[in-house]
Amino acid sequence: MKSNNSLTPSYFQFTVFADYGPLRYLFFSLCLLIYMIIISANVVIILTVCLENSLHQPMYIFICCLSLNSLYGSAGFFPRFLMDLLSDTHFISRPFCFIQIFVIYTYASYEMSVLCIMAYDRFVAICQPLHYHSKMTFRTVLLFLIFAVLYPVCVFGCFFYLATNLPLCGNKLHRIFCTSVSVFQLSCVDTTAISRVGQVFAVISIFVPLSFVHYTYLCILLVCRRSSSDFRGKALQTCLPHIVTFGNYCISLFCEVSLSQYNVDVNPFVSVALSLEFLIIPPINNPLVYGLNLPQIRKVIFRCCKRPNMNEFL
């Protein structure tokens, strides 16, 4: 009988990557450009919120947290992905694979948690404006953010522990990045119970926050119907970016969960595209939506961009 050590590979191999020949340099350049855009756009939002005193308010702090999370999730995916695009072999060591799993999964959960907190913030601001400053204090915001960070760590820590201790009978991952589901599928023992728990948790992680956000915006809609057109315009101005961001993220996350949890049989190119959407679109979408649609942030960014030109004429 083989020991667990002999059953556990020290590395994994990604099998989705194909030999694109010289085209891989084009793909590498495009993906590197996307990564640079993600870094630049999110850093601009973070610096704008941190350096401008007028933006030290809950809504903008949460936007800053979204940008920080985008940098965190992108760092867990892009450096390794860019290496694989140029490499002839696509092996990843066992420790780095599990680190990537932890980073990407906690990134996904952080994003959903912060978006839910933002929905509650808008709900209180519009539906209970007289109580906003008493409810959304600095201490409350800090507690919300601590919960948003610790909850995914505790939950995914359990799955992470189970994945690292499973005896594995293979090392081929049919993905472009490591996932816990793809690792469980290599197990030498029955993981049906773990998979069922993972599926239930995945559904809960998407539909409970989705239901909560729908409820908050239904309440906001009812308040806006009874209010003046000027009030509706201001409410729409602050809520629309969040609705767009949340809707886009839910679609991306649903595609990724369907692809990984339920073994959806799709074309490899479609599989790669859906995985890239989950990891690329939200980090690009967030700073663009909030930076271009919220006048408070847009005004500060434009003012900073014009400042060097003003100094030239002084």
Side-chain angles (χ1 to χ4, degrees), residues 5-300:
N5 288 336
S6 64
L7 292 172
T8 303
S10 59
Y11 63 89
F12 296 100
Q13 180 183 10
F14 297 122
T15 61
V16 175
F17 290 95
D19 183 9
Y20 296 107
L23 282 177
R24 64 182 176 178
Y25 299 106
L26 174 61
F27 296 151
F28 173 84
S29 301
L30 290 175
C31 290
L32 180 61
L33 176 62
I34 291 172
Y35 188 33
M36 292 298 101
I37 291 173
I38 289 173
I39 293 175
S40 302
N42 284 283
V43 167
V44 167
I45 295 296
I46 293 168
L47 292 177
T48 300
V49 174
C50 291
L51 298 178
E52 180 61 36
N53 290 331
S54 63
L55 299 181
H56 293 175
Q57 302 174 35
M59 182 174 72
Y60 304 111
I61 292 173
F62 297 142
I63 292 172
C64 181
C65 290
L66 280 182
S67 291
L68 283 170
N69 190 48
S70 294
L71 295 179
Y72 168 70
S74 299
F77 169 72
F78 272 99
R80 175 70 213 188
F81 181 64
L82 291 170
M83 287 174 55
D84 282 322
L85 286 175
L86 293 180
S87 177
D88 294 323
T89 58
H90 307 100
F91 297 104
I92 183 171
S93 68
R94 182 183 174 89
F96 277 106
C97 183
F98 286 119
I99 290 173
Q100 187 177 61
I101 291 174
F102 184 81
V103 171
I104 290 178
Y105 278 46
T106 50
Y107 149 76
S109 189
Y110 292 155
E111 190 87 359
M112 187 65 80
S113 299
V114 175
L115 288 173
C116 285
I117 294 171
M118 292 176 71
Y120 176 74
D121 175 70
R122 292 300 84 204
F123 167 76
V124 176
I126 294 173
C127 299
Q128 303 172 1
L130 298 179
H131 302 284
Y132 181 77
H133 293 292
S134 62
K135 287 189 173 185
M136 297 302 294
T137 62
F138 175 78
R139 184 173 182 273
T140 303
V141 170
L142 185 61
L143 288 175
F144 276 147
L145 293 178
I146 291 175
F147 172 78
V149 171
L150 293 183
Y151 171 71
V153 171
C154 294
V155 172
F156 287 112
C158 298
F159 286 95
F160 189 74
Y161 176 79
L162 291 172
T164 55
N165 286 277
L166 279 175
L168 306 178
C169 291
N171 69 339
K172 297 186 184 298
L173 302 177
H174 303 291
R175 300 301 303 274
I176 59 174
F177 59 90
C178 293
T179 67
S180 61
V181 176
S182 58
V183 172
F184 288 154
Q185 290 170 350
L186 299 176
S187 176
C188 302
V189 298
D190 184 20
T191 59
T192 303
I194 298 175
S195 298
R196 292 287 181 267
V197 173
Q199 290 172 0
V200 171
F201 178 74
V203 171
I204 292 174
S205 298
I206 294 177
F207 288 102
V208 170
L210 185 62
S211 301
F212 173 76
V213 172
H214 278 165
Y215 169 76
T216 58
Y217 277 97
L218 178 61
C219 294
I220 291 173
L221 180 62
L222 293 175
V223 170
C224 289
R225 286 186 61 184
R226 300 191 298 265
S227 304
S228 64
S229 58
D230 186 48
F231 180 87
R232 286 197 297 270
K234 291 181 179 178
L236 182 64
Q237 188 180 70
T238 60
C239 291
L240 186 59
H242 183 263
I243 295 173
V244 171
T245 301
F246 188 80
N248 168 74
Y249 184 69
C250 282
I251 293 172
S252 301
L253 192 59
F254 179 77
C255 291
E256 169 59 21
V257 169
S258 299
L259 191 67
S260 61
Q261 289 282 355
Y262 302 106
N263 295 319
V264 180
D265 186 18
V266 295
N267 182 279
F269 179 79
V270 176
S271 173
V272 171
L274 292 175
S275 294
L276 290 176
E277 180 192 11
F278 161 68
L279 291 161
I280 290 178
I281 301 301
I284 292 179
N285 177 75
N286 293 350
L288 292 181
V289 167
Y290 290 114
L292 295 178
N293 282 281
L294 290 180
Q296 295 86 346
I297 293 180
R298 187 172 65 240
K299 181 171 64 176
V300 174

